[in-house]
């Protein structure tokens, strides 16, 4: 992955991700920043985007790798997946748009719902330098 780096703010927890080089990920990057209500489900944090993303049907698959940032085109679902990779093949309509950098421990320790700010890491760095 050589795409744009993003940051997701789950309250005090900042999760850094790297976007893939695909149509949906590039479109998501153009929508940054945005805030999305995300709910924990034990294996991920997921929320429905208020917009849909264009995508290449060839990029849609079943399952995920723990740490994937996925888009589900059928509901415009945006998810950060942190567990159950071994059983994930039963879930279709997955499109990997990025991956979390580093450990997933912080995500695994969260519970509840969050208004998650998703932003470009580059934009955040520029604001801190000002």
């Amino acid at each position: 992955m050589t795409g744009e780096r993003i940051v997701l703010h789950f309250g005090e927890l900042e999760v850094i991700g790297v976007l893939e080089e695909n149509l949906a990920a590039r479109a998501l990057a153009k929508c940054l920043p945005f805030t999305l209500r995300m709910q924990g489900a034990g294996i991920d944090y997921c929320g429905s985007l208020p917009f849909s993303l264009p995508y290449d049907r060839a990029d849609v698959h079943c399952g995920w790798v723990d740490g994937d940032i996925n888009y589900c085109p059928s509901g415009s679902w945006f998810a950060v997946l942190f567990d159950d990779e071994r059983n994930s093949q039963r879930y279709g309509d997955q499109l990997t748009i990025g991956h979390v950098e580093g450990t997933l421990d912080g995500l695994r320790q969260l519970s509840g719902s969050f208004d998650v700010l998703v932003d470009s890491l580059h934009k955040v760095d520029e604001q801190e330098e000002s």
Side-chain angles (χ1 to χ4, degrees):
M1 287 177 284
T2 59
E4 181 169 352
R5 293 177 76 215
I6 61 172
V7 58
L8 299 94
H9 299 271
F10 291 84
E12 296 292 315
L13 177 67
E14 288 187 351
V15 175
I16 307 298
V18 179
L19 295 178
E20 293 279 340
E21 291 290 341
N22 60 41
L23 181 62
R26 287 190 297 273
L28 182 85
K30 291 178 183 174
C31 296
L32 299 173
F34 62 86
T35 300
L36 178 65
R37 186 74 173 167
M38 298 182 80
Q39 176 68 39
I43 60 172
D44 70 353
Y45 267 88
C46 186
S48 183
L49 290 171
F51 48 84
S52 59
L53 298 174
Y55 64 96
D56 183 342
R57 186 73 195 145
D59 291 336
V60 179
H61 54 84
C62 291
W64 60 80
V65 173
D66 291 349
D68 277 355
I69 300 170
N70 280 5
Y71 175 64
C72 179
S74 63
S76 288
W77 292 101
F78 177 83
V80 181
L81 297 135
F82 56 81
D83 207 354
D84 209 28
E85 172 184 333
R86 67 190 171 284
N87 295 311
S88 69
Q89 289 301 310
R90 63 184 166 187
Y91 297 97
D93 208 24
Q94 301 292 312
L95 196 161
T96 305
I97 57 173
H99 199 78
V100 172
E101 286 186 335
T103 181
L104 301 173
D105 293 342
L107 286 167
R108 290 180 175 134
Q109 293 171 9
L110 292 177
S111 64
S113 8
F114 293 86
D115 289 325
V116 178
L117 172 63
V118 183
D119 202 355
S120 168
L121 188 60
H122 182 67
K123 289 180 193 172
V124 171
D125 289 344
E126 286 176 354
Q127 291 169 359
E128 288 174 358
E129 289 175 5
S130 299

